Structure formats: structure tokens, C-alpha cells
Amino acid sequence: DSGVTQTPKHLITATGQRVTLRCSPRSGDLSVYWYQQSLDQGLQFLIQYYNGEERAKGNILERFSAQQFPDLHSELNLSSLELGDSALYFCASSVGGQGAEKLFFGSGTQLSVL
Amino acid sequence: TQLLEQSPQFLSIQEGENLTVYCNSSSVFSSLQWYRQEPGEGPVLLVTVVTGGEVKKLKRLTFQFGDARKDSSLHITAAQPGDTGLYLCAGGSSNTGKLIFGQGTTLQVKP
């Protein structure tokens, strides 16, 4: 158990809909990262938050947004969903704000857009 | 754009065989991490190497960071079915502060 909690584990929705993925980092970790994993693209970095503020941005679409709350949990919002958004979404956390440090990953949310 | 290429993409071997997975880039990284991911789970960190030429051993797994810090390898001796999984290398950049992942190597070890 990595200590990172992601909910829900599975999500099935239709095109055009909006969903919210939730992540609770390990106790004491200030950074939260969101990654998207698909068979053809591998593990793609989306966005990082450190202590409530956006720290780094990766290949995140404009239809996607995220935030980190004062209690350090984070939410990833995906809107106007398309079939191609179907993927595994991982949240990871780390102690500090440097993105190259050791990451602890959650078990992921499997999103299926039908 | 920093890229990490892993090879091979897929590897299916018999229990007891040795194997090597490679992770290559044209970019220099400040650190190189190796993760293993099992189905239905997130990646789990195996090792971090930070010095060019560094070699680290974790039981039957040997990790090496290239002298120029552009490449790395993972060697598994006498593979076991429990080694089955997706192996990911990830390069850390002190410039961007980001961790870049390779596409992964899927390893299947048959009993």
C-alpha cells in the first residue's frame, strides 16, 4: 500500500459528460501529480500541485482541470469527454516540490468513455 | 523535448533465464528511476540512480546509470514468475523539475 488513495477505482460514462477524480496523498506529502496512462501513449504527465499551488504543467488538455485543496487532497476534472479520453488516470505524491524526486502512486482510476 | 526510449517493448522468457532492459535518451538526466507496475496497480519505485556510472543491486536486479547520465539498464538474473510486470524508467531533470517516463517494457516470465 503506497498510502495514496484514489477514488473511484472504475468510472464508466458517456461522451460529452464531465467527471471528477479524487486523490488523497500520503500523509506528510505536499505534492500531488496527475498522470494519464494509455496503451499507445504510455504514462503521460498531466499536472503537478505543490501545497495548493500549480507547480508544473504537462500534456494536459484545456478540457481538463485540477486543483489541490487546503487539506492537500486533489481533484482532476475531465469535461466534454471523448472516446480517446478512456485511460488509466494515476495520482502520485511526493514530499517536496521537485518533480524528479521519488513518487508514490495510487492504484489509479480506470475511465471508460462510451 | 526530452524523450526516453525503452527496449525491448515486450519480453517473454522462461523462468531461470537472464534478461536486460535498456533505457536510452539523447538528453542528460540528473537522476534515473526504475519502477515496476503490476496489473491494476500503480507503479512502484524500485531504485534511483543519480551518479554517472553508478551500479545498484537489489537482490537479483542490477541497475546501471550510464557514464554520461543519458542511459540506464536493468538486468535481472534468474528471472522468476514473480518478476512479471511492466518496467518503467523515468528520467529526472533538474532544469524542468519534471519526471519523464519511458514507454515501458512488459516482461512475462513463464514457469
Side-chain angles (χ1 to χ4, degrees):
Chain A
D1 182 9
S2 67
V4 178
T5 305
Q6 283 189 252
T7 56
K9 196 160 179 65
H10 302 278
L11 202 46
I12 301 174
T13 188
T15 54
Q17 294 298 304
R18 173 190 168 96
V19 297
T20 297
L21 281 53
R22 184 188 166 99
C23 169
S24 293
R26 285 190 329 153
S27 176
D29 284 358
L30 298 179
S31 271
V32 168
Y33 308 77
W34 286 98
Y35 283 85
Q36 179 193 59
Q37 187 176 43
S38 59
L39 284 174
D40 57 340
Q41 294 288 324
L43 201 61
Q44 297 288 313
F45 169 67
L46 296 179
I47 197 165
Q48 176 201 357
Y49 280 83
Y50 176 73
N51 205 20
E53 304 223 344
E54 183 183 304
R55 176 61 67 97
K57 222 169 186 176
N59 304 321
I60 188 166
L61 300 173
E62 285 192 11
R63 300 182 286 108
F64 296 0
S65 65
Q67 54 183 327
Q68 186 179 28
F69 296 87
D71 67 353
L72 300 177
H73 91 271
S74 178
E75 292 181 356
L76 178 67
N77 300 296
L78 315 177
S79 61
S80 303
L81 285 168
E82 302 175 359
L83 295 176
D85 296 328
S86 295
L88 256 174
Y89 290 83
F90 285 105
C91 166
S93 71
S94 68
V95 173
Q98 293 303 312
E101 59 187 84
K102 179 177 180 176
L103 301 184
F104 294 86
F105 283 83
S107 297
T109 293
Q110 178 68 62
L111 174 66
S112 298
V113 183
L114 307 177
Chain B
T1 304
Q2 293 179 305
L3 289 173
L4 273 170
E5 293 186 3
Q6 283 188 242
S7 61
Q9 278 188 294
F10 302 98
L11 198 50
S12 182
I13 60 172
Q14 292 295 135
E15 182 177 359
E17 292 184 12
N18 302 331
L19 67 115
T20 302
V21 176
Y22 299 94
C23 177
N24 296 299
S25 175
S26 57
S27 303
V28 175
F29 291 99
S30 57
S31 65
L32 204 296
Q33 300 177 7
W34 284 93
Y35 289 80
R36 190 176 90 178
Q37 184 180 8
E38 298 187 24
E41 299 296 328
V44 176
L45 180 68
L46 296 173
V47 78
T48 302
V49 284
V50 297
T51 306
E54 183 176 0
V55 176
K56 276 193 176 178
K57 290 193 175 183
L58 188 66
K59 296 184 181 177
R60 293 175 294 100
L61 278 60
T62 302
F63 305 85
Q64 185 163 10
F65 201 10
D67 291 341
R69 291 185 288 133
K70 293 182 179 181
D71 55 85
S72 181
S73 64
L74 157 60
H75 182 79
I76 301 180
T77 303
Q80 298 176 2
D83 296 327
T84 293
L86 176 67
Y87 288 82
L88 295 157
C89 66
S93 169
S94 54
N95 291 336
T96 65
K98 291 181 185 176
L99 201 60
I100 307 298
F101 280 84
Q103 292 286 84
T105 294
T106 299
L107 171 65
Q108 181 188 42
V109 182
K110 301 175 189 174

